C-alpha cells in the first residue's frame, strides 16, 4: 500500500528540493576556494595584488565563479528524477542533455549525507552506488527528508523483491532500524582515547607540510622570512632547548589536531545492528549515515597500533563491494571497538567461520631472509663508504637505523600468518600492533599466483586473493601450498550457492 | 540451494589447474606484438633523436651516450620479452572458469570463475584488426585487480568465448532464481 503511494510519488519527473540550489552554489564556491585559496592567502599576506598578474587572475576567478554559479542554477532547473518501472531515471545537463538509467538491482547502497546546510534546511543528500557497471556513483544534492527516505525505502524494497522471492525480509528500512540493537555508542572517554591513539605523526606531518608550503609561498612574496629566521636561530644556536621545545610543540599541536579531527568525525557515533545489516551514524557538524547489508560486506579488517593494543581496542573496517576503486569511501570504519564487539560482529556476519579450529601458518622464512639480505648488503656497502670517508657520525646513525629496520623486519615476520579452513580465510599481520583480515570463501572473485625469478628458484610463490573490495596478497609461501589453495578456493567458489553481492 | 550443504572434499580429488591442457595464443599475435612494439619505439626514438638534432643548446656528451644506450637496452629487452614471453602466454577454459598464464621472468597465473564475471567484451586494436585478432576482457565487480584480459585470440574464437561466458552467467542467474538484464 505504502509502496504504491511511493511509486505514485516518484512517477512524474520532478526537481530536487529548492535547498539544492543553495548547495549547488555553495559547492561551486567551495571548489573555487579550495582550488584558488593560495591566491587569497597571497593577497592577504602581501596586501598587494602582485606584479599585475594577479589582477587578471582575480578577474578570471570572479568570471569563472559567475559562470559556474550560473551553470549551477541552470543545472538545478534542468535536473529531473523519477522512477520508471524498476529503474531510477535522472535527466540532467545544461548544454548537452543526458539521461541516466539506474536499474534497482544494480544499486549497491544508498547513503544519506547531511552537512550543516542540509541540516539547516532539513534536507538530505543521497549517494547512490552501483557496482559492476561502468558508471560510478550518482549523487543527488538535496531531497526533503520525507522524499529521501521514501525514495530509499521504495528502491530498496523493490530491489529486495526482485532478489529474494520470499516476502517478509525487508531491507534496512527506518522502521527496522528502530528495532535494531546497538552494538556500541561512543562516549566521551572513548572518543578521547581514540583521538590520543591516532597516528599523530601522520597528522603532524600533514600540518608540517602545510606550514612549509605556506612558508615557501610567503617567502616568494618578498617577506623576508629567512632573515627573521636566521636572527632568531643565531640567538639560540646550539640550544637543545629549542629542539626539545619544537618537538613537544610538534607533538602537542599534532595531538590537538588529531583529537579535534576525531571529535568532528566520530562525535556521537552509534554502531547499530539490524537483523540483516549494519549501520553507523556519526559526526558533529556533518552527520553521516552509512549502512551495509550483510551480503554486501565482502571482508572484515581490524587493526590496532601499539598504544591501542594496551588500551585494548581496535579500528574495525567492514569493506563493501563498490564500483569505484577500493578506497576508504565504501568501507564502514568503526573506531574504538573492543574485542568483544568484534566477536559480535563476526558472529553476526560469519557465524560458521570456525576460527578457533583453524590452523595458522607462518610465511616462508625467505620472506624474512630476502629483505634482510638486501638491506644488510646495502648497509655494509654504505658503512664501508662512511669509514673510508671518515664519516663516523653517519656510521653511527646508519647502525641505529639498521637495527631499527632489522627489528621491524623480524617483528613483521613473527606476526605474519595465514590460515584457510572449510569456510573462511584468515590473514594476520602487523609490526608493533596487530592487523587482521578475514573473509569467507564465497566472497572470493578470482585467484592469482605470481612468482618472481627468486621465488621460482626456491619453489615459492605469492598468492593473491581478489575480492570485490580489494586484493589480499599472501607473499612467500611454498609453491605446492599456493597451488593447493588456488585450486581449493577456486573449487569452493564454484560450488558455493551463497549470495555474495 | 541449501546454505548448509557442505560436503567434505578429498584433497586428491580437487580439480587441478596445473594439470590443465593450456592453449597457446595465435602465432600471428606475436607478429602483431612485434609490429606494435616497433611502431611505439620507432615514434619514441624519432622524438628523442629530433630533440637531439634540433636542440639549441649543447647537449653534454655524457647525455648523448647514456640516453641512446638506455633506450636501446629497453628496446632490446622489450623484443626479448615478446619473443620469449609469447610461448608462456597460455589460456584454458574449463566448465566453470577461465584460466590464463603468462610470464617469462616474472610468472603469473590467474583463474576467474564464470559465476564471478559481471560482463565481458571483445576489443580489437588497429593492429589486431589487420591480423583479424581480438582481445577478450572479462570484468568482475569491485576493483580492477580481478579483471582478466586474454589477448591474441582469433576474432571468431573470442566471440565464441564471450557467448559462452554470457550463457554461463545467465545460467547461473537462472539457477539462483534471479533474472537480470
Amino acid at each position: 500500500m505504502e509502496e504504491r503511494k511511493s511509486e505514485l510519488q516518484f512517477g512524474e519527473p520532478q526537481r530536487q528540493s529548492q535547498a539544492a540550489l543553495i548547495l549547488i552554489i555553495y559547492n561551486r564556491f567551495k571548489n573555487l576556494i579550495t582550488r584558488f585559496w593560495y591566491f587569497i592567502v597571497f593577497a592577504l599576506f602581501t596586501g598587494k595584488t602582485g606584479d599585475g598578474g594577479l589582477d587578471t587572475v582575480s578577474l578570471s576567478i570572479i568570471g569563472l565563479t559567475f559562470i559556474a554559479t550560473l551553470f549551477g542554477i541552470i543545472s538545478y532547473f534542468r535536473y529531473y528524477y523519477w522512477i520508471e518501472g524498476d529503474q531510477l531515471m535522472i535527466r540532467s545537463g545544461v548544454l548537452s542533455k543526458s539521461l541516466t538509467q539506474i536499474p534497482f538491482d544494480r544499486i549497491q547502497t544508498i547513503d544519506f549525507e547531511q552537512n550543516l546546510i542540509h541540516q539547516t534546511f532539513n534536507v538530505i543528500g543521497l549517494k547512490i552506488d552501483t557496482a559492476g557497471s561502468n558508471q560510478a556513483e550518482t549523487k543527488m544534492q538535496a531531497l526533503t527528508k520525507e522524499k529521501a527516505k521514501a525514495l530509499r525505502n521504495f528502491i530498496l524494497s523493490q530491489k529486495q523483491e526482485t532478489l529474494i522471492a520470499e516476502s517478509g525480509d525487508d531491507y534496512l528500512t527506518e522502521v527496522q532500524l528502530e528495532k535494531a540493537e546497538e552494538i556500541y555508542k561512543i562516549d566521551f572517554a572513548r572518543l578521547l582515547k581514540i583521538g590520543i591513539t591516532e597516528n599523530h605523526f601522520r597528522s603532524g606531518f600533514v600540518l608540517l607540510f602545510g606550514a612549509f608550503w605556506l612558508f615557501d609561498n610567503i617567502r616568494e612574496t618578498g617577506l623576508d622570512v629567512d632573515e627573521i629566521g636566521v636572527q632568531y636561530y643565531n640567538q639560540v644556536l646550539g640550544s637543545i632547548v629549542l629542539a626539545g621545545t619544537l618537538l613537544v610543540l610538534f607533538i602537542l599541536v599534532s595531538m590537538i589536531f588529531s583529537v579535534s579531527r576525531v571529535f568532528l568525525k566520530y562525535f556521537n557515533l552509534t554502531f547499530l545492528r539490524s537483523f540483516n545489516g549494519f549501520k553507523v551514524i556519526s559526526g558533529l557538524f556533518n552527520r553521516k549515515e552509512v549502512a551495509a547489508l550483510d551480503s554486501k560486506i565482502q571482508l572484515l579488517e581490524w587493526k590496532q597500533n601499539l598504544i591501542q593494543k594496551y588500551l585494548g581496542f581496535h579500528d574495525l573496517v567492514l569493506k563493501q563491494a563498490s564500483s569505484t576503486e577500493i578506497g576508504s569511501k565504501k568501507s564502514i570504519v568503526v573506531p574504538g571497538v573492543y574485542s568483544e564487539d568484534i566477536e559480535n560482529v563476526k558472529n553476526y556476519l560469519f557465524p560458521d567461520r570456525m576460527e578457533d579450529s583453524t590452523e595458522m601458518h607462518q610465511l616462508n622464512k625467505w620472506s624474512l631472509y630476502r629483505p634482510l639480505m638486501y638491506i644488510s648488503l646495502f648497509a655494509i656497502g654504505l658503512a664501508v663508504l662512511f669509514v673510508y670517508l671518515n664519516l663516523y657520525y653517519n656510521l653511527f646513525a646508519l647502525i641505529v637505523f639498521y637495527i631499527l629496520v632489522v627489528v621491524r623486519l623480524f617483528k613483521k615476520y613473527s606476526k605474519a600468518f595465514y590460515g584457510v579452513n572449510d569456510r573462511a580465510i584468515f590473514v594476520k599481520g602487523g609490526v608493533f600492533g596487530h592487523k587482521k583480515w578475514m573473509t569467507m570463501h564465497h566472497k572470493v572473485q578470482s585467484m592469482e599466483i605470481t612468482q618472481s625469478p627468486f621465488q621460482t628458484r626456491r619453489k615459492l610463490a605469492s598468492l593473491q586473493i581478489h575480492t570485490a573490495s580489494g586484493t589480499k596478497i599472501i607473499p612467500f609461501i611454498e609453491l605446492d601450498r599456493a597451488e593447493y589453495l588456488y585450486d581449493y578456493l577456486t573449487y569452493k567458489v564454484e560450488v558455493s550457492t551463497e549470495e555474495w553481492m | 540451494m541449501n546454505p548448509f550443504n557442505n560436503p567434505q572434499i578429498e584433497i586428491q580429488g580437487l580439480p587441478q589447474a596445473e594439470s590443465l591442457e593450456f592453449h597457446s595464443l595465435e602465432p600471428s599475435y606475436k607478429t602483431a606484438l612485434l609490429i606494435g612494439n616497433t611502431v611505439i619505439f620507432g615514434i619514441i626514438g624519432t622524438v628523442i633523436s629530433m630533440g637531439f638534432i634540433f636542440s639549441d643548446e649543447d647537449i653534454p656528451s655524457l647525455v648523448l651516450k647514456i640516453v641512446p644506450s638506455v633506450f636501446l637496452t629497453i628496446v632490446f629487452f622489450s623484443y626479448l620479452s615478446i619473443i620469449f614471453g609469447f610461448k608462456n602466454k597460455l589460456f584454458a577454459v574449463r566448465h566453470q572458469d577461465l584460466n590464463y598464464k603468462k610470464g617469462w621472468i616474472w610468472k603469473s597465473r590467474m583463474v576467474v570463475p564464470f559465476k564471478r564475471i559481471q560482463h565481458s567484451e571483445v576489443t580489437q586494436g588497429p593492429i589486431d584488426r589487420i591480423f583479424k585478432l581480438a582481445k577478450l576482457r572479462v570484468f568482475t565487480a569491485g576493483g580492477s585487480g580481478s579483471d582478466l584480459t586474454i589477448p591474441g585470440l582469433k576474432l571468431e574464437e573470442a566471440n565464441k568465448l564471450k557467448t559462452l561466458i554470457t550463457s554461463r552467467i545467465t545460467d547461473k542467474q537462472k539457477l539462483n532464481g534471479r533474472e537480470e538484464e
Side-chain angles (χ1 to χ4, degrees):
Chain A
M1 205 48 209
E2 203 183 314
E3 270 166 24
R4 281 238 57 84
K5 215 178 78 195
S6 303
E7 198 176 357
L8 288 174
Q9 198 181 346
F10 298 110
E12 291 293 311
Q14 53 192 285
R15 294 196 180 115
Q16 302 177 81
S17 157
Q18 276 154 8
L21 259 174
I22 293 155
L23 277 155
I24 289 167
I25 294 166
Y26 164 75
N27 282 334
R28 302 274 167 170
F29 270 96
K30 204 176 85 181
N31 274 346
L32 275 165
I33 288 169
T34 43
R35 235 169 266 171
F36 295 110
W37 71 272
Y38 43 88
F39 285 114
I40 298 161
V41 172
F42 187 90
L44 279 179
F45 265 102
T46 55
K48 56 180 180 182
T49 46
D51 311 327
L54 202 68
D55 273 353
T56 23
V57 170
S58 43
L59 267 179
S60 45
I61 291 177
I62 292 165
L64 274 176
T65 316
F66 182 72
I67 295 168
T69 314
L70 200 70
F71 264 74
I73 292 168
I74 299 172
S75 73
Y76 168 77
F77 289 104
R78 293 271 183 138
Y79 186 104
Y80 288 95
Y81 71 97
W82 69 98
I83 285 170
E84 209 175 286
D86 51 0
Q87 290 186 1
L88 175 67
M89 317 283 280
I90 292 170
R91 193 169 63 213
S92 62
V94 178
L95 294 178
S96 59
K97 277 198 171 179
S98 74
L99 181 71
T100 315
Q101 293 172 290
I102 311 170
F104 292 162
D105 50 7
R106 283 272 177 247
I107 293 175
Q108 296 297 314
T109 49
I110 300 177
D111 290 336
F112 283 175
E113 200 178 12
Q114 267 197 304
N115 64 22
L116 265 184
I117 299 178
H118 285 112
Q119 285 176 32
T120 324
F121 293 96
N122 207 20
V123 290
I124 290 177
L126 263 74
K127 256 165 60 181
I128 300 166
D129 194 70
T130 50
S133 50
N134 287 331
Q135 71 215 91
E137 57 174 37
T138 311
K139 267 191 168 183
M140 291 171 91
Q141 295 278 2
L143 301 186
T144 56
K145 218 170 205 167
E146 301 75 49
K147 281 207 171 169
K149 281 180 181 170
L151 186 66
R152 179 163 82 168
N153 286 351
F154 179 71
I155 291 178
L156 294 176
S157 62
Q158 286 294 104
K159 178 183 156 72
Q160 188 78 0
E161 261 173 37
T162 46
L163 282 182
I164 301 169
E166 68 226 43
S167 57
D169 279 10
D170 259 339
Y171 181 75
L172 296 167
T173 59
E174 296 306 310
V175 190
Q176 238 71 41
L177 259 185
E178 275 160 27
K179 277 187 265 169
E181 56 183 295
E182 201 175 278
I183 299 178
Y184 100 84
K185 195 178 173 92
I186 217 157
D187 51 27
F188 185 79
R190 234 198 269 197
L191 260 177
L192 204 63
K193 276 187 197 167
I194 296 165
I196 289 167
T197 56
E198 278 279 286
N199 190 344
H200 300 302
F201 287 105
R202 201 180 49 205
S203 12
F205 278 109
V206 169
L207 275 178
L208 211 63
F209 183 76
F212 274 129
W213 190 77
L214 199 66
F215 178 81
D216 242 33
N217 277 278
I218 295 168
R219 201 168 50 186
E220 272 172 27
T221 65
L223 213 112
D224 220 334
V225 191
D226 267 352
E227 193 76 358
I228 306 165
V230 168
Q231 273 173 14
Y232 186 64
Y233 182 69
N234 279 334
Q235 281 168 13
V236 279
L237 182 70
S239 156
I240 301 162
V241 181
L242 177 68
T245 320
L246 278 180
L247 189 71
V248 170
L249 208 69
F250 175 74
I251 293 172
L252 211 70
V253 171
S254 315
M255 220 145 138
I256 293 169
F257 185 70
S258 25
V259 169
S260 37
R261 204 179 60 93
V262 163
F263 265 82
L264 282 179
K265 212 169 155 190
Y266 299 129
F267 185 77
N268 218 353
L269 180 140
T270 322
F271 186 26
L272 295 162
R273 169 70 197 174
S274 144
F275 67 93
N276 60 352
F278 295 91
K279 191 162 196 168
V280 175
I281 308 168
S282 69
L284 185 58
F285 298 124
N286 228 342
R287 286 300 276 176
K288 265 197 175 172
E289 238 180 67
V290 199
L293 199 64
D294 282 353
S295 61
K296 295 283 177 287
I297 296 169
Q298 300 294 312
L299 54 93
L300 280 184
E301 255 176 23
W302 61 106
K303 55 193 172 197
Q304 50 186 180
N305 61 31
L306 197 60
I307 312 169
Q308 288 171 337
K309 201 167 97 185
Y310 288 115
L311 292 173
F313 64 79
H314 303 76
D315 286 339
L316 173 68
V317 186
L318 301 123
K319 285 204 170 162
Q320 293 194 78
S322 89
S323 57
T324 37
E325 275 296 335
I326 318 128
S328 52
K329 263 198 310 186
K330 273 290 101 179
S331 314
I332 296 191
V333 183
V334 197
V337 188
Y338 289 109
S339 300
E340 317 75 275
D341 298 331
I342 290 180
E343 281 308 305
N344 282 339
V345 171
K346 284 195 278 185
N347 287 337
Y348 286 133
L349 264 181
F350 309 128
D352 50 353
R353 65 189 183 283
M354 301 184 292
E355 190 171 359
D356 301 327
S357 60
T358 309
E359 196 189 336
M360 298 300 285
H361 303 277
Q362 201 159 23
L363 300 182
N364 187 276
K365 57 188 189 314
W366 279 108
S367 70
L368 171 67
Y369 293 164
R370 198 171 90 119
L372 200 62
M373 209 163 72
Y374 286 143
I375 283 162
S376 304
L377 279 178
F378 182 68
I380 289 167
L382 260 184
V384 169
L385 190 76
F386 287 158
V387 171
Y388 182 73
L389 295 171
N390 286 326
L391 296 166
Y392 290 106
Y393 277 120
N394 294 28
L395 186 67
F396 178 71
L398 176 74
I399 291 169
V400 172
F401 189 67
Y402 176 74
I403 291 171
L404 282 177
V405 171
V406 169
V407 167
R408 197 181 179 280
L409 276 176
F410 271 94
K411 272 273 179 196
K412 196 176 168 191
Y413 177 70
S414 72
K415 295 229 170 126
F417 283 90
Y418 68 97
V420 176
N421 64 25
D422 278 359
R423 305 278 303 142
I425 309 164
F426 303 90
V427 180
K428 290 180 182 175
V431 180
F432 298 108
H434 287 292
K435 208 173 172 178
K436 289 171 189 170
W437 182 98
M438 77 153 295
T439 192
M440 303 298 277
H441 291 168
H442 64 276
K443 300 287 182 184
V444 173
Q445 296 244 52
S446 64
M447 302 287 302
E448 195 173 351
I449 288 179
T450 57
Q451 281 185 293
S452 70
F454 181 91
Q455 289 173 325
T456 311
R457 280 201 299 280
R458 283 166 187 79
K459 287 200 164 33
L460 298 171
S462 294
L463 185 69
Q464 299 191 17
I465 302 165
H466 298 292
T467 73
S469 42
T471 297
K472 192 74 196 172
I473 302 175
I474 305 176
F476 279 94
I477 60 176
E478 295 71 23
L479 181 64
D480 51 355
R481 195 187 281 278
E483 274 172 348
Y484 167 66
L485 287 176
Y486 181 88
D487 290 330
Y488 177 64
L489 290 173
T490 309
Y491 170 78
K492 287 302 292 267
V493 172
E494 285 163 1
V495 298
S496 78
T497 51
E498 283 133 300
E499 202 187 336
W500 64 287
M501 228 182 73
Chain B
M1 278 302 280
N2 180 4
F4 297 102
N5 178 23
N6 189 16
Q8 177 159 13
I9 337 144
E10 291 305 316
I11 292 168
Q12 288 79 15
L14 271 184
Q16 286 175 322
E18 203 28 34
S19 57
L20 260 174
E21 211 176 289
F22 278 88
H23 303 282
S24 47
L25 306 179
E26 285 302 305
S28 57
Y29 179 59
K30 190 159 139 188
T31 326
L33 276 180
L34 290 173
I35 292 173
N37 203 46
T38 313
V39 170
I40 286 170
F41 281 111
I43 292 170
I44 296 173
T46 320
V47 170
I48 293 176
S49 21
M50 285 298 181
F52 280 157
I53 293 165
F54 294 109
S55 166
D56 291 335
E57 287 153 47
D58 284 338
I59 296 162
S61 61
L62 194 68
V63 174
L64 274 179
K65 275 178 201 154
I66 288 175
V67 171
S69 47
V70 168
F71 179 71
L72 288 176
T73 319
I74 293 172
V75 172
F76 180 69
F77 273 102
S78 69
Y79 279 109
L80 272 190
S81 72
I82 289 174
I83 292 161
F84 289 102
F86 180 77
K87 64 170 184 287
N88 291 307
K89 289 195 170 102
L90 300 161
F91 75 96
V93 185
R94 286 194 286 188
H95 192 72
Q96 299 270 12
D97 49 40
L98 195 59
N99 294 265
Y100 186 54
K101 280 210 287 200
K102 65 176 177 195
W104 163 45
I105 299 176
W106 276 272
K107 295 181 167 91
S108 81
R109 81 181 73 141
M110 192 167 181
V111 54
V112 185
F114 289 133
K115 54 155 65 157
R116 292 291 179 262
I117 295 175
Q118 293 281 326
H119 67 281
S120 58
E121 63 180 39
V122 172
T123 60
Q124 269 191 310
I127 300 170
D128 287 341
R129 217 162 289 150
I130 302 170
F131 291 94
K132 293 193 173 60
L133 293 171
K135 283 185 178 69
L136 174 71
R137 305 180 63 188
V138 300
F139 298 91
T140 54
S144 55
S146 47
D147 296 344
L148 178 62
T149 304
I150 300 181
L153 300 169
K154 274 190 202 141
L155 181 59
E156 57 264 40
E157 204 175 320
N159 280 326
K160 256 187 230 163
L161 274 175
K162 184 175 147 48
T163 318
L164 175 79
I165 290 167
T166 315
S167 70
R168 284 277 193 284
I169 296 172
T170 40
D171 276 358
K172 171 204 92 184
Q173 273 155 5
K174 269 180 214 147
L175 236 133
N176 289 359
R178 295 186 190 190
E179 283 198 62
E180 277 184 76
E181 278 152 300

